[in-house]
């Protein structure tokens, strides 16, 4: 059973062609972790999506999606942020969109610790400040704002799949969250 929302504009590949491409090529993705900042630019809250997995489990995740053919990274980030958080989230993309890391997902366990059963993919991962009201859409059930301490708690970390909890730790360390 697939609980993901079909992409209304699948771009350049049909579902069958995408399946075949995923079997043969690494796919390019963007991942965005929405954050709220204080006046000095420190992370005060992290926005985590709550979704149902294909197996029916409730899992935490980030804004994520493919970069389409002939689409810029900036355009892909905006498209996925609006798709997952709603049009009034008002993401603040940096002037130079440099990711905090390049995450490599594999369909089976590997040295990266990141897995995606569907494919081998390379994801450019970003911390993106948002200033507006978020209304999760598509396959997200809710967006939960929590402090970095709560997001790093063992309870919340256990809700991530595919090694994404480690990716969140890496993102917060990149933002100077070393408490």
């Amino acid at each position: 059973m697939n609980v993901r929302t079909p992409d209304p504009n699948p771009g350049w590949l049909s579902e069958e062609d995408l399946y075949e491409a995923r079997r043969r090529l690494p796919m390019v993705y963007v991942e965005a972790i929405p954050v709220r900042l204080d006046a000095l630019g420190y992370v005060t809250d992290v926005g985590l999506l709550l979704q149902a997995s294909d197996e029916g489990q409730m899992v935490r995740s980030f804004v994520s999606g493919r970069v389409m053919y002939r689409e810029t990274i900036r355009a892909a980030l905006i498209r996925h942020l609006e798709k997952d958080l709603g049009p009034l989230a008002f993401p603040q993309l940096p002037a130079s969109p440099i990711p905090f890391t390049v995450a490599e997902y594999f369909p089976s366990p590997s040295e990266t610790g990141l897995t995606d059963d569907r494919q081998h993919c390379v994801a450019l991962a970003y911390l993106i400040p948002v200033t507006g009201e978020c209304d999760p859409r598509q396959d997200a059930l809710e967006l939960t704002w929590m402090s970095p301490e709560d997001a790093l708690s063992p309870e919340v970390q256990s809700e991530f799949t595919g090694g994404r909890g480690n990716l969140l730790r890496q993102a917060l360390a990149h933002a100077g969250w070393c408490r």
Side-chain angles (χ1 to χ4, degrees), residues 27-130:
M27 304 300 288
V28 179
Y29 275 67
V30 291
E31 289 193 304
I33 301 171
V35 294
R36 300 251 193 232
L37 305 176
D38 66 13
L40 296 175
Y42 293 110
V43 174
T44 59
D45 297 293
V46 178
L48 300 177
L49 296 170
L50 184 65
Q51 300 174 314
S53 71
D54 290 343
E55 295 80 32
Q57 295 177 297
M58 301 308 285
V59 297
R60 295 283 175 187
S61 191
F62 314 128
V63 172
S64 180
R66 286 186 319 217
V67 177
M68 300 300 222
Y69 180 69
R70 298 188 57 90
E71 181 178 45
T72 66
I73 299 300
R74 183 178 294 280
L77 279 166
I78 290 294
R79 180 170 57 86
H80 289 294
L81 285 159
E82 183 173 298
K83 178 182 64 115
D84 287 349
L85 302 180
L88 301 177
F90 302 129
Q92 306 298 302
L93 291 183
S96 177
I98 298 173
F100 69 83
T101 194
V102 176
E104 298 176 274
Y105 291 88
F106 292 93
S108 56
S110 72
E111 60 275 2
T112 70
L114 299 169
T115 59
D116 182 333
D117 295 340
R118 303 168 300 163
Q119 65 196 334
H120 172 196
C121 72
V122 175
L124 306 174
Y126 298 86
L127 277 172
I128 302 292
V130 296

Side-chain angles (χ1 to χ4, degrees), residues 148-160 169:
E149 295 100 338
D150 290 341
L152 295 174
S153 72
E155 296 81 27
V156 173
Q157 289 291 299
S158 71
E159 295 175 355
F160 285 103
R169 280 194 287 280

